Amino acid sequence: MPRFIYMVRPLLGLMPEVSQPDRRLPINEKLAWTVFALMMYLFASGVPLYGMQTTRTSDPFHWLRVILASNRGTLMELGLAPIMTSSLVMQLMQGAGLLQVNMGSREERALFAGAQKLVGFGVTLAEAVAYVFCGMYGDVATLGYGTCALLATQLCLAGLLVILLDELLQKGYGLGSGLSLFMAVNTCTDILWSTVAPVSVTTGRGTEYHGCLVAFVHLLVSRKDKLRALADAFTRPHMPNLLNLAGTLAIMGAVTWFQGWRVNIPVKSVKHRTQSGQYPVKLFYTGNMPVVLYAAMVGQLYFVSQLVYAKMGSIPLVRLLGVWEEYGDGAGSKPVSGLAYLLSPPATLWELAADPLRALFYLSFVLSSCAMLSKAWMETTGQGPREVAEQLRNEQVAVKGHRDHAIAVVLQRYIPSAAALGGLTVGGLAVGADYLGALGSGTGIMLAVTTIFQYYEIFMREQKELMGSLGLLGQQ
């Protein structure tokens, strides 16, 4: 019997928990709870931290704010980083054999979920303390230890709120998961803002607007040289342009197209031989989880690298991890060398052409990481061939043309390949979007589009169950 997973049982009582619903909720109640969770997240994203003096210091999460669904200087400063990190740590520990959990046991699944919550809150506490005492909100001596403790407490409570909202949706009160919902909404908001924001900015070329469509109209109307205005609207640097918007739409179209790729395995009912259907194995078998876990991994690397560089930038090992340079406006920092630089996408096509080795390393790392994380997620969440075969047997379903006990053998041909190839595809689309300068980042677009599709499928499934038309077709 696994030992470590049972050792966390006494600690689980220290964490608040959302109880399982005592009945199956109708879809209108689930929609209400989903909207409630989203409103709570958006409210916390707009409430500034009480007691901070400044946010003009460099931002360790500047590159990943959209993906992490965080908002600087607010209660959602840490965003989803703790949840994503805890999920990554627990999955990697289980995949490496350091943590053995029988996902077929309801008790051990519950203990695993509880342990993941504990790790998530531990990461929240560690990051909150690091943020405050590294001077993110002002000098510690000026703030005083009481104010520093208050700031850290606010971040911890906000992190706990995110954990509970995610648990609320995943336990059946809402639709989908809070993790995917918050990231998708944050990405869509960022894309919309970059497209139609009517905010004017004074540049060396005069007044321009942040939103690329608004800027396009303004440039054509205000400038005499229409060809130059059109060229600027498509290629202007440092602000959203029409090429970025075109890249965004292209990646969205590609993701939508790949969503339809699947292998349909013919199945039949063991109990009622006349009933048959198909079991779909999708290309995106693990959904958007590969890029979620990848973003968590790289986000923590950026966080650690930038903080240690600010304090010990002269140490060679620290510089090997990453050398950071602040933007001219002080809004954030960018890596200019080291591992953090190699793992950051080129900002433009010109930057890609100037350093093709970096682009090749970034592409190789993202593809291999997403493929491995996809397979690890499949194996550790009960989506592997054996687990799916057991579910089908429990539902008295068999594969046509094969004996009942051969279900796992048939699924073994498709599911691991779909998980690995799906991870490669997701990673490749994310990299392609980064190279095209797509709005909201490549990873963010992948998360948004796949999450929208997942919610569409969840809604359709709920509708079928409501009408009492459950069947074998499309059931997973």
Side-chain angles (χ1 to χ4, degrees), residues 250-449:
I251 294 298
M252 285 183 171
V255 175
T256 303
W257 184 55
F258 279 118
Q259 284 284 347
W261 284 33
R262 66 184 66 195
V263 173
N264 291 317
I265 301 175
V267 294
K268 62 182 179 180
S269 173
V270 176
K271 188 175 181 181
H272 305 285
R273 294 289 180 177
T274 57
Q275 292 184 1
S276 62
Q278 294 177 329
Y279 182 86
V281 178
K282 300 179 182 179
L283 174 63
F284 292 159
Y285 186 73
T286 53
N288 55 27
M289 286 312 300
V291 287
V292 171
L293 298 176
Y294 172 79
M297 179 173 62
V298 176
Q300 294 307 314
L301 172 66
Y302 286 175
F303 176 70
V304 173
S305 174
Q306 194 167 356
L307 287 184
V308 296
Y309 180 76
K311 299 295 182 181
M312 301 174 287
S314 60
I315 299 176
L317 185 60
V318 172
R319 299 180 68 86
L320 187 64
L321 188 62
V323 175
W324 294 78
E325 186 179 274
E326 287 199 13
Y327 290 110
D329 56 4
S333 299
K334 62 179 180 180
V336 294
S337 68
L339 182 60
Y341 171 75
L342 293 175
L343 297 183
S344 61
T348 63
L349 290 174
W350 320 118
E351 193 174 317
L352 185 153
D355 195 352
L357 290 179
R358 170 202 179 189
L360 181 61
F361 180 87
Y362 177 73
L363 173 65
S364 303
F365 185 81
V366 173
L367 292 182
S368 58
S369 297
C370 286
M372 289 187 293
L373 289 171
S374 182
K375 290 198 70 174
W377 185 260
M378 172 202 73
E379 293 168 356
T380 56
T381 55
Q383 300 181 62
R386 284 181 294 181
E387 292 80 5
V388 173
E390 186 63 29
Q391 293 173 14
L392 292 177
R393 275 194 291 267
N394 292 338
E395 296 172 5
Q396 296 187 327
V397 173
V399 178
K400 281 186 177 180
H402 295 80
R403 296 182 182 274
D404 296 349
H405 62 271
I407 301 177
V409 177
V410 177
L411 294 176
Q412 182 69 34
R413 301 174 190 170
Y414 301 103
I415 289 181
S417 299
L421 186 58
L424 280 173
T425 306
V426 167
L429 288 170
V431 171
D434 287 332
Y435 288 172
L436 292 174
L439 305 176
S441 83
T443 306
I445 293 172
M446 285 297 309
L447 294 173
V449 177

Side-chain angles (χ1 to χ4, degrees), residues 2 18 56 58 62 69 72 101 118 124 149 158 178 192 247 249 279 306 318 321 345 364 376 396 417 420 424 437:
V18 177
R56 295 295 297 173
S58 91
H62 169 73
R72 193 174 188 198
V101 182
L118 285 172
T124 301
L192 184 64
L249 296 176
Y279 182 86
Q306 194 167 356
V318 172
L321 188 62
S364 303
Q396 296 187 327
S417 299
L424 280 173

